[in-house]
Amino acid sequence: MNKKAENLLKPLNITAFLLPALILFIGILIAPIIMSLYYSFFDWKGFGNKTFVGFSNYIELFKSKDINFLEALKNSLLLAALSVFIQLPISLAFALALGKGIKGERVFLSVYFAPVLISTVVIGQLWLKIYNPDYGLLNVFLRKIGLEQEIMKWTGDTKDILWLGNKKIALGAVFAPTLWQYVGYHMLLMYAGVKGVPLELREAAMLDGATPGQVNRYIVIPYIKPILKICVIFAVTGSLKTFDLVYVLMGNSHQHLVEVPNTWLFQMLYLSNRYGMGSTIAVMLIILCFVFSLIISAMFKKED
């Protein structure tokens, strides 16, 4: 086969290899987004005729008192802030500690990463038992050390601390299992980056008299900034998309005490048969995740 024929076949070969993945990408990701955008302009129950309403669903989403989307969004943003400023620093501290090559390094990695492998529903059920007002491990522990009454004075509870039934502490109670579950996930990403720092950079800094803390601050952390950016994006977008843990923890007994956008999406789609409004919430989540990803990328680029 001559060179001219090879040049003609090369684009066809590339297309043939990329086409299956492209079809899956369009069918699984792009097409549902387009369909959600389309349905968001209709009043539709999931069956029967659709009624075109234009931007009415979007207006109702932000103005309706029955769908407190802004409150749900605020809860998600608070979870995102807690993830970025509490969860990620803990993950980074673990990654830096394990990256030094301490004894039992592999064991610690496995232990910290284990909660990521557990189903979120199982984790939710586990923490429901921990938060139980009567026999929950947390209340029993606080009772033993004499702090239960002090916390009850602050929360306003009369008999026991209602971790999932008190507006003051319910959001924090939802965040604690999230912290426990995903701190190992971010730690593993950062750990891989720490291990990738060239040894000669560390040694050069140590020869210049840098302390281990200074090496981490001026050598390791700047080197793994691309991974830190990915972790921040994952933490923020993951908080915006959270659903299963909130749904399991809050259930029907504390409905609407802690709402996030996805719980309202579930309510609209499957409990109220408002597919148009559910699609509107889905579109808003897609836009928010995209915008926050761009903002975070721009912030890290500016720092660089």
Side-chain angles (χ1 to χ4, degrees):
M1 185 180 293
N2 57 41
K3 190 173 182 180
K4 186 176 181 180
E6 289 180 358
N7 291 335
L8 290 173
L9 287 174
K10 189 175 181 180
L12 294 176
N13 292 334
I14 294 173
T15 304
F17 278 107
L18 291 179
L19 191 59
L22 182 62
I23 292 173
L24 285 174
F25 179 76
I26 293 174
I28 295 175
L29 184 65
I30 303 300
I33 291 176
I34 295 174
M35 293 303 295
S36 294
L37 180 61
Y38 170 74
Y39 288 131
S40 69
F41 295 111
F42 290 88
D43 181 16
W44 187 44
K45 295 182 178 181
F47 55 88
N49 296 326
K50 300 185 291 292
T51 304
F52 181 77
V53 294
F55 289 95
S56 296
N57 285 332
Y58 292 92
I59 296 171
E60 182 185 353
L61 182 64
F62 288 98
K63 289 189 175 182
S64 174
K65 294 181 180 179
D66 296 328
I67 309 172
N68 201 340
F69 181 75
L70 291 178
E71 179 70 20
L73 182 59
K74 185 184 79 171
N75 289 335
S76 286
L77 292 177
L78 285 173
L79 289 175
L82 291 172
S83 297
V84 171
F85 296 109
I86 296 179
Q87 187 180 67
L88 294 188
I90 294 174
S91 299
L92 179 60
F94 285 157
L96 292 173
L98 294 176
K100 295 179 180 179
I102 63 175
K103 186 177 180 181
E105 179 180 337
R106 297 296 177 184
V107 175
F108 284 113
L109 283 174
S110 300
V111 170
Y112 292 143
F113 190 73
V116 182
L117 305 176
I118 303 174
S119 167
T120 305
V121 176
V122 174
I123 289 176
Q125 292 295 330
L126 172 65
W127 281 82
L128 277 175
K129 302 299 184 293
I130 293 174
Y131 287 142
N132 188 279
D134 300 320
Y135 58 81
L137 181 64
L138 187 55
N139 276 7
V140 171
F141 173 73
L142 292 173
R143 200 172 298 135
K144 290 292 184 182
I145 63 175
L147 287 179
E148 186 182 40
Q149 293 299 323
E150 296 298 323
I151 297 176
M152 287 172 62
K153 289 179 182 178
W154 174 67
T155 60
D157 294 318
T158 55
K159 184 181 178 182
D160 297 296
I161 303 174
L162 303 176
W163 295 100
L164 298 173
N166 190 306
K167 186 72 173 178
K168 289 184 178 180
I169 55 177
L171 188 64
V174 168
F175 172 70
T178 305
L179 171 67
W180 179 75
Q181 182 179 14
Y182 287 109
V183 70
Y185 175 77
H186 295 291
M187 178 214 66
L188 194 63
L189 293 176
M190 297 177 189
Y191 169 81
V194 171
K195 281 296 187 180
V197 177
L199 186 60
E200 55 267 23
L201 292 180
R202 292 176 178 268
E203 292 176 346
M206 297 295 285
L207 288 174
D208 287 339
T211 63
Q214 290 173 328
V215 171
N216 288 333
R217 180 179 177 183
Y218 297 107
I219 303 295
V220 178
I221 294 178
Y223 193 88
I224 65 171
K225 267 189 177 181
I227 296 176
L228 294 178
K229 179 183 74 173
I230 296 299
C231 288
V232 173
I233 291 175
F234 283 176
V236 173
T237 56
S239 297
L240 290 172
K241 296 184 295 182
T242 188
F243 167 72
D244 41 8
L245 186 62
V246 176
Y247 186 78
V248 173
L249 287 176
M250 304 312 297
N252 294 322
S253 57
H254 307 301
Q255 196 173 11
H256 302 311
L257 190 60
V258 174
E259 290 283 3
V260 291
N262 268 327
T263 56
W264 277 119
L265 188 151
F266 180 83
Q267 171 79 19
M268 292 296 106
L269 283 179
Y270 302 109
L271 301 181
S272 301
N273 289 330
R274 296 191 61 187
Y275 277 71
M277 181 57 71
S279 298
T280 303
I281 297 173
V283 170
M284 291 305 304
L285 283 175
I286 293 168
I287 294 173
L288 287 169
C289 289
F290 182 70
V291 169
F292 274 106
S293 297
L294 290 179
I295 292 173
I296 294 167
S297 297
M299 290 173 62
F300 273 85
K301 186 176 181 180
K302 186 177 179 180
E303 286 185 7
D304 292 339

